[in-house]
C-alpha cells in the first residue's frame, strides 16, 4: 500500500502541505489529541467527536482493520509511513485517502504521531508529477537545464551531464560563459535573457554548444525554453530542454554538401577545373584538405588503360598548402601499401580514422617528409574516381585542424561525392579528347604558314572556341593566282565540333579548286553555293540522324577577294559574311558595303562582284563574326575598336593583329565562338617589273613576240630563261593567231617567278593533247607544259588569257 518515507515537502502543489492537507495528532496509544479544520472538512467529523477517541475505532471499517494494523506495525518499525488507506466518512461512505505519518518525540520523553492526509486522487496526481520531475532529471534522454532570474544555472539533469562530459553539479551557480566556448555562450545567454524578459518561449532552436574543456568537439543542440512563474506570477527562472542533434546536423550538412556539390562540380568541360571544383567542395565542409590525383592520360583527354597502371598527376589541392608534399602539377609516386594505392587496386574507399601521417606512403625525400609531418593529419579517406568502369584517379581527404576523425558516414559521403565528380571529369575528358581531335583536324586544314607573296603581306590569327560549344568551322586561306595576283578567303561554317571542322575542310578545298580556275569572285561564290547544296542533299539522302551536320553545311558564309598588284584592283564577293574593312595609308578606315549575298547552300540566288582600287600600303581586313561578338555581343562597339586598331597602317601586321585581338577579346578568356582574322597589306608591282605589248593578229606576230621577249629578258638579266620563254611566247601567240580573234597582248611579269601571258578576245578553250607522229601540228601546248612549271587559262569578260610560270634562276 505504500513506501516508508521521512520526507515532507512544503511546496504549494504538495497535497500534504500544512494548510492544504487534513492533519491530526495521535498519542502513543493511538488516541486523537489534535484535529484540524481541514480534517473536519474532508472527513466530516467535528473535533469534539474525535478528540480523545482511538482513531481506528472512529475512522476504520472492520473489514479494513487487518490492512490498517499491518501498516501500523510497518510505520512503528520505520518511524514513519506514506501511502493510501481507506477511511470511513462521517456519513458512513468509504473514502480513499493518502496519508503521511511521522513519529515525533516530545520534550518530556513521550512520543506522538503527526498524520497528514489528502484525497487519494490528489496524492496520486502529485506522485505522478513528482515521478515526472524525477524522471526528467534522472532518467530522461532529453537534457534539462534550469536557470535562475540571474541567468545562472540552478540545476541540470543527467542527460546534460552525460553529453557534456562534466558532473551535473559542475555548471550549477555559473553563467553559460563560464563553461561554454565564448562564441557559443554569448548567443545562449542572450536567448535566456530574452525568455526571462519577454516570456516568449523558444521552440526547437538549433545552436552550437561547445564546452570550454573540449572546444574542438562539435556539438549542436536543439533548445526549447520557457519562463517559470509561481502562482502569483513571480518569475522564478527559465527551463530549457536540450536535445543533442549533432548527428542529425551532420547528416543534414552532408546532404547539403552533396546538393551544393552537384551545382558546383561540372560547371565546365575542363578536366582540371572540374577536379578543382571537387577539391573545393570536399574541403568546404567535409575535410581540412582535399587532393585530386588523376592518371596522366586523363589529364590529356585520353582514355586510361585497363587497371590502375601509370603515373598520377596532382591536378587539384584545396586549400593551397605549401607543406603538402606534392603540389598541383606534380607527379605523385605512390607505394603499394598506401591507402591511395589500395583504393585504386580494390576500387573502394579506404578509411583510416586514426593515423599519423605516414610519409612512407610516398616516395619522398627526407626534406619533404619533415615538412609533411608538421601538418598534424590524424584521419584520412581515399576514394577512387570511377566512371564507365574505368579508373580515372583518386581523391584524398585529410583532417588535421578538425579534431574529430572521419566516420563511416563521412566515407559514404566522400564516395558519393567522388562518384558524381568522376562522371563530370570523364565527360570533361571525353570533351577534351573530341576538342583535341577537332582542333587537330581543323589546324591541319588551315594554312600552316603564309609565304611571302608579291601582291600582299599577310598576318592571320585563328582562335578556337572554348567551353561547351567546342571547335567551330571558321577558316581562312591565302591562294596565289596567276599574274602575281592573290585570292583572300575567309569562311564560317555554322556549328561546332568534328562535323563543322570537316565541313570547313571541304569548303576550303572547293574554294582552292575554284580559285585555280581563275574564276571571278561571284562565280566562285556560285560554285561554293552549288557544292554546299549538293553536300546537304547527299547527307539528307544518306543519313538518318545527321541533321546537325546538314545545318552546319547549309549555314556556311564566305568572303572571297582577289587583288591584282599590277592594276591595284580588288574585286570581291560575299555570301552572308561580315563586310571587310579597308584602311588606307592616310589613316581612313572604311567598312565596305558590298552586296551581302545569301548564305551558302540556299541555292538559286545570285551573287555580285564588288570592285575597288586599293592604294599601295592599304590594309584589307577579313574576319568572322566571332571577332565582333566576343565582347558582350555589342557589334557597334566592337567595330569602333576594330577601326581604331586598323587606323595605323604603318605598324607591323603582327602587332596590328595582336592589337585587334586584345581590343576585341575579353582579358584572360577564350572566345565562346571561334575566330578567324586575316589582314593583308597591299603591294604594287613596279613598272620596271612588268612589260606588255599589243600585237596584231597576223603570222609575223610570233617572230615579233620572240624578239620582244628576248630583249626584255636580257634587260632583266634573265638570259638563262630567254630561249624557253621566247619559245613559249611564240607558241602562245601562234595559237592565238590560229584559233583566237582580235588583237593579241603579250605580257611578262617578274616577281619571285617569271610569268608569260598571252591574251586575245576569244573564249575558246585551249587544251593539251598528244599529237601523232604523222601530225604536222598540235604540239604547241605540250611543249609549253614541258618547258614551264605551271600553266593555265583564265577568262574575263573581254576574252581569255593563257599564262605560264617559270622559276627564276638562283641569284
Amino acid at each position: 500500500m505504500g513506501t516508508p518515507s521521512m520526507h515532507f515537502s512544503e511546496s504549494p502543489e504538495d497535497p500534504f502541505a500544512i494548510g492544504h492537507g487534513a492533519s491530526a495528532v495521535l498519542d502513543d496509544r493511538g488516541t486523537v489529541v489534535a484535529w484540524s479544520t481541514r480534517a473536519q472538512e474532508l472527513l466530516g467529523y467535528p473535533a469534539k467527536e474525535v478528540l480523545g477517541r482511538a482513531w481506528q475505532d472512529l475512522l476504520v471499517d472492520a473489514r479494513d482493520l487487518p490492512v490498517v494494523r499491518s501498516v501500523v506495525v510497518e510505520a512503528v518499525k520505520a518511524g514513519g509511513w506514506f501511502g493510501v488507506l481507506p477511511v470511513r466518512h462521517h456519513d458512513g461512505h468509504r473514502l480513499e485517502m493518502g496519508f503521511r505519518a511521522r513519529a515525533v518525540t516530545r520534550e518530556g520523553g513521550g512520543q506522538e504521531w503527526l498524520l497528514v492526509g489528502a484525497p487519494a486522487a490528489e496524492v496520486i496526481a502529485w506522485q505522478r508529477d513528482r515521478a515526472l520531475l524525477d524522471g526528467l532529471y534522472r532518467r530522461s534522454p532529453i537534457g534539462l537545464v534550469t536557470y535562475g532570474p540571474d541567468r545562472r544555472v540552478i540545476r541540470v539533469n543527467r542527460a546534460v551531464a552525460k553529453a557534456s562530459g562534466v558532473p551535473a553539479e559542475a555548471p550549477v551557480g555559473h553563467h553559460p560563459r563560464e563553461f561554454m566556448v565564448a562564441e557559443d555562450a554569448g548567443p545562449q545567454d542572450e536567448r535566456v535573457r530574452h525568455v526571462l524578459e519577454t516570456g516568449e518561449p523558444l521552440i526547437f532552436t538549433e545552436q552550437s554548444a561547445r564546452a570550454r574543456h573540449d572546444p574542438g568537439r562539435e556539438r549542436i543542440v536543439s533548445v526549447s525554453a520557457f519562463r517559470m512563474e509561481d502562482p502569483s506570477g513571480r518569475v522564478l527562472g527559465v527551463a530549457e530542454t536540450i536535445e543533442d542533434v549533432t548527428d542529425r546536423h551532420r547528416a543534414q550538412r552532408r546532404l547539403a554538401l552533396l546538393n551544393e556539390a552537384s551545382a558546383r562540380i561540372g560547371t565546365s568541360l575542363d578536366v582540371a577545373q572540374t577536379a578543382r571544383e571537387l577539391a573545393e567542395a570536399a574541403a568546404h565542409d567535409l575535410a581540412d584538405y582535399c587532393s585530386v590525383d588523376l592518371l596522366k592520360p586523363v589529364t590529356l583527354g585520353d582514355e586510361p588503360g585497363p587497371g590502375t597502371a601509370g603515373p598520377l598527376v596532382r591536378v587539384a589541392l584545396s586549400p593551397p598548402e605549401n607543406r603538402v608534399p606534392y603540389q598541383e602539377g606534380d607527379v605523385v609516386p605512390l607505394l603499394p601499401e598506401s591507402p591511395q594505392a589500395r583504393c585504386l587496386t580494390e576500387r573502394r574507399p579506404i578509411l583510416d580514422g586514426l593515423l599519423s601521417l605516414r610519409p612512407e606512403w610516398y616516395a619522398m625525400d627526407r626534406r619533404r617528409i619533415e615538412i609533411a609531418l608538421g601538418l598534424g593529419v590524424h584521419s584520412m579517406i581515399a576514394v577512387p574516381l570511377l566512371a564507365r568502369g574505368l579508373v580515372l584517379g583518386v581523391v584524398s581527404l585529410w583532417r588535421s585542424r578538425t579534431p574529430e576523425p572521419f566516420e563511416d558516414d563521412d566515407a559514404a559521403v566522400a564516395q558519393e561525392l567522388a562518384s558524381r565528380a568522376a562522371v563530370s571529369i570523364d565527360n570533361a575528358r571525353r570533351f577534351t579528347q573530341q576538342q583535341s581531335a577537332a582542333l587537330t583536324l581543323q589546324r591541319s586544314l588551315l594554312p600552316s604558314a603564309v609565304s611571302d607573296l608579291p601582291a600582299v603581306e599577310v598576318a592571320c590569327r585563328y582562335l578556337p572556341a572554348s567551353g561547351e560549344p567546342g571547335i567551330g568551322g571558321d577558316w581562312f586561306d591565302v591562294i596565289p593566282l596567276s599574274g602575281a595576283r592573290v585570292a583572300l578567303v575567309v569562311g564560317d561554317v555554322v556549328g561546332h565540333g568534328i562535323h563543322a571542322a570537316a565541313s570547313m575542310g571541304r569548303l576550303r578545298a572547293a574554294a582552292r579548286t575554284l580559285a585555280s580556275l581563275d574564276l571571278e569572285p561571284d562565280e566562285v561564290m556560285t560554285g561554293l553555293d552549288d557544292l554546299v547544296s549538293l553536300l546537304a542533299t547527299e547527307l539528307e539522302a544518306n543519313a538518318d540522324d545527321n541533321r546537325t551536320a546538314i545545318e552546319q553545311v547549309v549555314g556556311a558564309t564566305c568572303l572571297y577577294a582577289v587583288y591584282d598588284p599590277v592594276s591595284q584592283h580588288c574585286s570581291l564577293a560575299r555570301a552572308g559574311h561580315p563586310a571587310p574593312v579597308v584602311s588606307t595609308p592616310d589613316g581612313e578606315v572604311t567598312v565596305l558595303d558590298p552586296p551581302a549575298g545569301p548564305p551558302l547552300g540556299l541555292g538559286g540566288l545570285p551573287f555580285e562582284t564588288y570592285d575597288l582600287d586599293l592604294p599601295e600600303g592599304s590594309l584589307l581586313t577579313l574576319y568572322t563574326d566571332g571577332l565582333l561578338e566576343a565582347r558582350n555581343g555589342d557589334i557597334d562597339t566592337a567595330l569602333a575598336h576594330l577601326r581604331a586598331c586598323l587606323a595605323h597602317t604603318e605598324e607591323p601586321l603582327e602587332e596590328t593583329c595582336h592589337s585587334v585581338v586584345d581590343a576585341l577579346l575579353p582579358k584572360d578568356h577564350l572566345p565562346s565562338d571561334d575566330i578567324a582574322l586575316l589582314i593583308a597589306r597591299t603591294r604594287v608591282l613596279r613598272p620596271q617589273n612588268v612589260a606588255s605589248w599589243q600585237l596584231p593578229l597576223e603570222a609575223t606576230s610570233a617572230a615579233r613576240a620572240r624578239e620582244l621577249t628576248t630583249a626584255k629578258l636580257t634587260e632583266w638579266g634573265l638570259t638563262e630563261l630567254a630561249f624557253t620563254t621566247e619559245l613559249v611566247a611564240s607558241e602562245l601567240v601562234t595559237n592565238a593567231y590560229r584559233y583566237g580573234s582580235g588583237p593579241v597582248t603579250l605580257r611578262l611579269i617578274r616577281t619571285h617567278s617569271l610569268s608569260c601571258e598571252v591574251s586575245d578576245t576569244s573564249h575558246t578553250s585551249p587544251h593539251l593533247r598528244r599529237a601523232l607522229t604523222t601530225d604536222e601540228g598540235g604540239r604547241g601546248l605540250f611543249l609549253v607544259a614541258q618547258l614551264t612549271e605551271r600553266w593555265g587559262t583564265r577568262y574575263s569578260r573581254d576574252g581569255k588569257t593563257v599564262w605560264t610560270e617559270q622559276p627564276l634562276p638562283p641569284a
Side-chain angles (χ1 to χ4, degrees), residues 83 95 111 167 266 287 309 315 344 361 431 507 520 573 594 598 605 607 614 642 706 776:
L95 180 66
Q111 188 179 57
V315 181
L344 289 174
W361 288 344
F431 176 78
L507 287 181
E520 292 293 325
L605 298 174
F607 298 93
L614 296 176
L642 179 61
R706 289 194 295 271
E776 295 183 359

Side-chain angles (χ1 to χ4, degrees), residues 264-276:
R264 293 179 59 180
I265 299 174
T267 60
S268 70
L269 288 173
D270 180 83
V271 172
Q273 177 63 26
T274 304
R276 280 191 289 271

Side-chain angles (χ1 to χ4, degrees), residues 488-490 559-561 577 580-581 620-624 676-679:
L488 306 173
V489 195
V490 169
L559 173 63
Y560 181 87
H577 201 79
V581 178
L620 179 62
T621 303
L622 287 65
Y623 52 88
T624 55
L677 172 65
L678 179 63
I679 304 178

Side-chain angles (χ1 to χ4, degrees), residues 5-8 79-81 100-104 112-116:
S5 174
M6 296 297 294
H7 175 71
F8 278 84
W81 184 85
R100 271 189 176 175
R102 184 174 65 181
V104 178
E112 294 180 341
W113 288 86
L114 174 62
L115 298 180
V116 182

Side-chain angles (χ1 to χ4, degrees), residues 491-549:
D492 183 2
V493 176
V494 178
H496 299 85
I498 294 288
H499 292 297
S503 300
M504 176 273 291
R506 292 179 177 180
L507 287 181
R508 178 172 179 262
R512 274 191 164 264
T513 301
L514 294 171
S516 68
L517 299 177
D518 275 318
L519 300 177
E520 292 293 325
D522 60 331
E523 294 175 333
V524 171
M525 290 292 102
T526 301
L528 291 176
D529 183 58
D530 293 340
L531 172 65
V532 172
S533 298
L534 178 62
L535 291 175
T537 301
E538 290 179 355
L539 286 172
E540 194 172 30
N542 300 328
D544 296 329
D545 56 351
N546 270 346
R547 175 59 54 186
T548 301

Side-chain angles (χ1 to χ4, degrees), residues 185-239:
Q188 166 64 16
D189 188 58
E190 178 61 26
R191 291 187 185 96
V192 173
R193 183 197 62 77
H194 179 78
V195 174
L196 273 172
E197 294 178 355
T198 66
E200 297 177 359
L202 290 179
I203 301 176
F204 299 129
T205 302
E206 291 192 3
Q207 64 185 60
S208 177
R210 293 168 294 168
R212 289 186 63 179
H213 70 277
D214 190 9
R217 181 188 175 193
E218 181 184 37
R219 183 166 178 254
I220 306 297
V221 296
S222 176
V223 177
S224 296
F226 62 91
R227 188 168 68 182
M228 299 183 298
E229 302 174 357
D230 65 11
S232 66
R234 182 168 59 92
V235 176
L236 302 177
V238 172

Side-chain angles (χ1 to χ4, degrees), residues 259-446:
N259 290 335
E260 182 182 359
S262 297
R264 293 179 59 180
I265 299 174
T267 60
S268 70
L269 288 173
D270 180 83
V271 172
Q273 177 63 26
T274 304
R276 280 191 289 271
E277 291 169 350
L278 167 59
E280 291 169 359
H284 176 65
D285 207 14
L286 183 62
D288 293 327
Y289 298 100
C290 178
S291 62
V292 180
D293 305 326
L294 300 179
L295 292 170
K296 190 170 184 178
V298 176
T299 64
L300 303 176
D302 298 330
E303 185 165 306
T308 60
L312 287 169
V313 178
R314 180 143 296 171
V315 181
L317 173 64
S318 182
E321 173 56 71
N322 293 331
R323 293 178 295 170
V324 174
Y326 296 96
Q327 300 294 311
E328 292 184 5
D330 292 345
V331 175
V332 182
L334 294 177
L335 298 181
E337 59 269 24
S338 68
Q340 289 88 346
R342 287 171 51 205
C343 90
L344 289 174
T345 303
E346 301 173 15
R347 298 194 174 194
R348 67 177 182 87
I350 300 296
L351 168 63
D352 201 337
L354 296 172
L355 59 86
S356 59
L357 180 64
R358 301 178 210 167
E360 63 269 17
W361 288 344
Y362 302 98
M364 296 189 296
D365 55 44
R366 174 53 54 183
R367 178 177 173 274
R368 289 193 177 189
I369 291 176
E370 293 174 352
I371 295 175
L373 288 174
L375 287 171
V377 172
H378 61 82
S379 182
M380 69 88 60
I381 303 173
V383 187
L385 288 167
L386 305 173
R388 297 188 303 115
L390 298 174
V391 177
L392 306 179
V394 60
V395 183
S396 301
L397 297 94
W398 316 83
R399 278 186 178 172
S400 60
R401 297 185 300 273
T402 303
E404 297 171 349
F406 284 118
E407 302 172 348
D408 291 338
D409 289 342
D410 295 318
V413 172
Q415 185 176 18
E416 179 65 24
L417 198 64
S419 298
R420 298 184 185 186
V423 174
S424 297
I425 289 175
D426 190 55
N427 288 339
R429 178 197 64 78
R430 297 170 71 182
F431 176 78
T432 301
Q433 187 180 45
Q434 184 184 39
Q435 284 286 85
S436 178
L439 184 58
T440 300
L441 173 62
Q442 188 169 45
R443 291 198 183 279
S444 68
L445 297 174
L446 291 173

